[in-house]
PDB file of all heavy atoms in Angstrom:
ATOM      1  N   ASP K 138      43.648 -73.047 -33.661  1.00 84.00           N
ATOM      2  CA  ASP K 138      44.896 -72.504 -33.100  1.00 84.00           C
ATOM      3  C   ASP K 138      45.344 -71.199 -33.742  1.00 84.00           C
ATOM      4  O   ASP K 138      46.132 -70.470 -33.157  1.00 84.00           O
ATOM      5  CB  ASP K 138      46.056 -73.507 -33.270  1.00 84.00           C
ATOM      6  CG  ASP K 138      45.786 -74.812 -32.554  1.00 84.00           C
ATOM      7  OD1 ASP K 138      44.792 -74.872 -31.815  1.00 84.00           O
ATOM      8  OD2 ASP K 138      46.574 -75.757 -32.741  1.00 84.00           O
ATOM      9  N   GLY K 139      44.888 -70.946 -34.949  1.00 85.00           N
ATOM     10  CA  GLY K 139      45.368 -69.758 -35.639  1.00 85.00           C
ATOM     11  C   GLY K 139      46.820 -69.870 -36.046  1.00 85.00           C
ATOM     12  O   GLY K 139      47.497 -68.872 -36.270  1.00 85.00           O
ATOM     13  N   ARG K 140      47.326 -71.086 -36.124  1.00 90.00           N
ATOM     14  CA  ARG K 140      48.725 -71.311 -36.505  1.00 90.00           C
ATOM     15  C   ARG K 140      48.763 -72.341 -37.619  1.00 90.00           C
ATOM     16  O   ARG K 140      47.915 -73.225 -37.688  1.00 90.00           O
ATOM     17  CB  ARG K 140      49.523 -71.884 -35.329  1.00 90.00           C
ATOM     18  CG  ARG K 140      49.565 -71.017 -34.103  1.00 90.00           C
ATOM     19  CD  ARG K 140      50.591 -69.898 -34.252  1.00 90.00           C
ATOM     20  NE  ARG K 140      50.713 -69.107 -33.044  1.00 90.00           N
ATOM     21  CZ  ARG K 140      49.872 -68.140 -32.684  1.00 90.00           C
ATOM     22  NH1 ARG K 140      48.821 -67.861 -33.437  1.00 90.00           N
ATOM     23  NH2 ARG K 140      50.055 -67.451 -31.572  1.00 90.00           N
ATOM     24  N   LEU K 141      49.783 -72.231 -38.473  1.00 94.00           N
ATOM     25  CA  LEU K 141      49.946 -73.218 -39.538  1.00 94.00           C
ATOM     26  C   LEU K 141      51.080 -74.158 -39.166  1.00 94.00           C
ATOM     27  O   LEU K 141      51.958 -73.812 -38.376  1.00 94.00           O
ATOM     28  CB  LEU K 141      50.271 -72.509 -40.848  1.00 94.00           C
ATOM     29  CG  LEU K 141      49.256 -71.440 -41.272  1.00 94.00           C
ATOM     30  CD1 LEU K 141      49.732 -70.728 -42.516  1.00 94.00           C
ATOM     31  CD2 LEU K 141      47.892 -72.068 -41.505  1.00 94.00           C
ATOM     32  N   GLY K 142      51.048 -75.358 -39.772  1.00 96.00           N
ATOM     33  CA  GLY K 142      52.060 -76.353 -39.425  1.00 96.00           C
ATOM     34  C   GLY K 142      53.309 -76.292 -40.279  1.00 96.00           C
ATOM     35  O   GLY K 142      54.386 -76.686 -39.844  1.00 96.00           O
ATOM     36  N   CYS K 143      53.155 -75.811 -41.530  1.00 96.00           N
ATOM     37  CA  CYS K 143      54.314 -75.790 -42.428  1.00 96.00           C
ATOM     38  C   CYS K 143      54.026 -74.875 -43.616  1.00 96.00           C
ATOM     39  O   CYS K 143      52.929 -74.368 -43.759  1.00 96.00           O
ATOM     40  CB  CYS K 143      54.651 -77.200 -42.904  1.00 96.00           C
ATOM     41  SG  CYS K 143      53.431 -77.871 -44.065  1.00 96.00           S
ATOM     42  N   GLU K 144      55.039 -74.713 -44.467  1.00 94.00           N
ATOM     43  CA  GLU K 144      54.860 -73.862 -45.658  1.00 94.00           C
ATOM     44  C   GLU K 144      53.714 -74.351 -46.527  1.00 94.00           C
ATOM     45  O   GLU K 144      52.977 -73.568 -47.105  1.00 94.00           O
ATOM     46  CB  GLU K 144      56.110 -73.926 -46.553  1.00 94.00           C
ATOM     47  CG  GLU K 144      57.390 -73.451 -45.971  1.00 94.00           C
ATOM     48  CD  GLU K 144      58.563 -73.930 -46.819  1.00 94.00           C
ATOM     49  OE1 GLU K 144      58.778 -73.358 -47.901  1.00 94.00           O
ATOM     50  OE2 GLU K 144      59.253 -74.885 -46.409  1.00 94.00           O
ATOM     51  N   GLU K 145      53.604 -75.677 -46.647  1.00 94.00           N
ATOM     52  CA  GLU K 145      52.619 -76.268 -47.548  1.00 94.00           C
ATOM     53  C   GLU K 145      51.193 -75.895 -47.128  1.00 94.00           C
ATOM     54  O   GLU K 145      50.294 -75.801 -47.951  1.00 94.00           O
ATOM     55  CB  GLU K 145      52.817 -77.793 -47.585  1.00 94.00           C
ATOM     56  CG  GLU K 145      51.969 -78.540 -48.601  1.00 94.00           C
ATOM     57  CD  GLU K 145      52.173 -78.072 -50.053  1.00 94.00           C
ATOM     58  OE1 GLU K 145      53.286 -77.632 -50.384  1.00 94.00           O
ATOM     59  OE2 GLU K 145      51.206 -78.141 -50.835  1.00 94.00           O
ATOM     60  N   CYS K 146      50.980 -75.676 -45.810  1.00 94.00           N
ATOM     61  CA  CYS K 146      49.666 -75.275 -45.310  1.00 94.00           C
ATOM     62  C   CYS K 146      49.157 -74.029 -46.049  1.00 94.00           C
ATOM     63  O   CYS K 146      47.962 -73.848 -46.234  1.00 94.00           O
ATOM     64  CB  CYS K 146      49.719 -74.963 -43.814  1.00 94.00           C
ATOM     65  SG  CYS K 146      49.856 -76.401 -42.744  1.00 94.00           S
ATOM     66  N   TYR K 147      50.089 -73.167 -46.458  1.00 93.00           N
ATOM     67  CA  TYR K 147      49.689 -71.947 -47.166  1.00 93.00           C
ATOM     68  C   TYR K 147      48.996 -72.267 -48.489  1.00 93.00           C
ATOM     69  O   TYR K 147      48.162 -71.500 -48.953  1.00 93.00           O
ATOM     70  CB  TYR K 147      50.893 -71.018 -47.385  1.00 93.00           C
ATOM     71  CG  TYR K 147      51.167 -70.134 -46.184  1.00 93.00           C
ATOM     72  CD1 TYR K 147      52.133 -70.470 -45.241  1.00 93.00           C
ATOM     73  CD2 TYR K 147      50.416 -68.972 -45.978  1.00 93.00           C
ATOM     74  CE1 TYR K 147      52.366 -69.660 -44.137  1.00 93.00           C
ATOM     75  CE2 TYR K 147      50.637 -68.168 -44.873  1.00 93.00           C
ATOM     76  CZ  TYR K 147      51.616 -68.509 -43.954  1.00 93.00           C
ATOM     77  OH  TYR K 147      51.822 -67.718 -42.857  1.00 93.00           O
ATOM     78  N   HIS K 148      49.348 -73.400 -49.094  1.00 91.00           N
ATOM     79  CA  HIS K 148      48.660 -73.815 -50.326  1.00 91.00           C
ATOM     80  C   HIS K 148      47.402 -74.593 -49.988  1.00 91.00           C
ATOM     81  O   HIS K 148      46.342 -74.366 -50.543  1.00 91.00           O
ATOM     82  CB  HIS K 148      49.597 -74.650 -51.199  1.00 91.00           C
ATOM     83  CG  HIS K 148      50.835 -73.908 -51.581  1.00 91.00           C
ATOM     84  ND1 HIS K 148      50.811 -72.883 -52.500  1.00 91.00           N
ATOM     85  CD2 HIS K 148      52.110 -74.000 -51.133  1.00 91.00           C
ATOM     86  CE1 HIS K 148      52.040 -72.381 -52.612  1.00 91.00           C
ATOM     87  NE2 HIS K 148      52.839 -73.040 -51.790  1.00 91.00           N
ATOM     88  N   THR K 149      47.540 -75.496 -49.019  1.00 89.00           N
ATOM     89  CA  THR K 149      46.418 -76.364 -48.684  1.00 89.00           C
ATOM     90  C   THR K 149      45.195 -75.567 -48.199  1.00 89.00           C
ATOM     91  O   THR K 149      44.076 -75.841 -48.601  1.00 89.00           O
ATOM     92  CB  THR K 149      46.832 -77.356 -47.572  1.00 89.00           C
ATOM     93  OG1 THR K 149      48.102 -77.910 -47.913  1.00 89.00           O
ATOM     94  CG2 THR K 149      45.810 -78.459 -47.423  1.00 89.00           C
ATOM     95  N   PHE K 150      45.443 -74.610 -47.334  1.00 89.00           N
ATOM     96  CA  PHE K 150      44.325 -73.867 -46.720  1.00 89.00           C
ATOM     97  C   PHE K 150      44.223 -72.449 -47.263  1.00 89.00           C
ATOM     98  O   PHE K 150      43.850 -71.520 -46.557  1.00 89.00           O
ATOM     99  CB  PHE K 150      44.494 -73.848 -45.194  1.00 89.00           C
ATOM    100  CG  PHE K 150      44.672 -75.208 -44.596  1.00 89.00           C
ATOM    101  CD1 PHE K 150      45.918 -75.634 -44.162  1.00 89.00           C
ATOM    102  CD2 PHE K 150      43.584 -76.083 -44.482  1.00 89.00           C
ATOM    103  CE1 PHE K 150      46.098 -76.901 -43.622  1.00 89.00           C
ATOM    104  CE2 PHE K 150      43.754 -77.354 -43.945  1.00 89.00           C
ATOM    105  CZ  PHE K 150      45.019 -77.765 -43.512  1.00 89.00           C
ATOM    106  N   ARG K 151      44.567 -72.309 -48.532  1.00 88.00           N
ATOM    107  CA  ARG K 151      44.683 -70.990 -49.143  1.00 88.00           C
ATOM    108  C   ARG K 151      43.491 -70.067 -48.871  1.00 88.00           C
ATOM    109  O   ARG K 151      43.648 -68.915 -48.498  1.00 88.00           O
ATOM    110  CB  ARG K 151      44.879 -71.160 -50.650  1.00 88.00           C
ATOM    111  CG  ARG K 151      45.282 -69.862 -51.301  1.00 88.00           C
ATOM    112  CD  ARG K 151      45.706 -70.030 -52.751  1.00 88.00           C
ATOM    113  NE  ARG K 151      46.169 -68.734 -53.197  1.00 88.00           N
ATOM    114  CZ  ARG K 151      47.439 -68.343 -53.138  1.00 88.00           C
ATOM    115  NH1 ARG K 151      48.361 -69.171 -52.729  1.00 88.00           N
ATOM    116  NH2 ARG K 151      47.773 -67.133 -53.521  1.00 88.00           N
ATOM    117  N   GLU K 152      42.279 -70.623 -49.046  1.00 86.00           N
ATOM    118  CA  GLU K 152      41.088 -69.771 -48.909  1.00 86.00           C
ATOM    119  C   GLU K 152      40.911 -69.251 -47.490  1.00 86.00           C
ATOM    120  O   GLU K 152      40.601 -68.085 -47.265  1.00 86.00           O
ATOM    121  CB  GLU K 152      39.837 -70.535 -49.335  1.00 86.00           C
ATOM    122  CG  GLU K 152      39.648 -70.524 -50.835  1.00 86.00           C
ATOM    123  CD  GLU K 152      38.308 -71.132 -51.220  1.00 86.00           C
ATOM    124  OE1 GLU K 152      37.279 -70.594 -50.774  1.00 86.00           O
ATOM    125  OE2 GLU K 152      38.321 -72.154 -51.920  1.00 86.00           O
ATOM    126  N   LEU K 153      41.101 -70.152 -46.527  1.00 84.00           N
ATOM    127  CA  LEU K 153      40.984 -69.752 -45.119  1.00 84.00           C
ATOM    128  C   LEU K 153      42.000 -68.658 -44.810  1.00 84.00           C
ATOM    129  O   LEU K 153      41.696 -67.650 -44.166  1.00 84.00           O
ATOM    130  CB  LEU K 153      41.236 -70.975 -44.222  1.00 84.00           C
ATOM    131  CG  LEU K 153      41.368 -70.708 -42.710  1.00 84.00           C
ATOM    132  CD1 LEU K 153      40.051 -70.249 -42.131  1.00 84.00           C
ATOM    133  CD2 LEU K 153      41.846 -71.971 -41.988  1.00 84.00           C
TER     134      LEU K 153
END
Side-chain angles (χ1 to χ4, degrees):
Chain K
D138 299 352
R140 300 280 184 280
L141 305 175
C143 71
E144 298 164 75
E145 187 58 31
C146 286
Y147 276 97
H148 301 288
T149 314
F150 307 105
R151 191 171 185 92
E152 278 187 60
L153 171 67

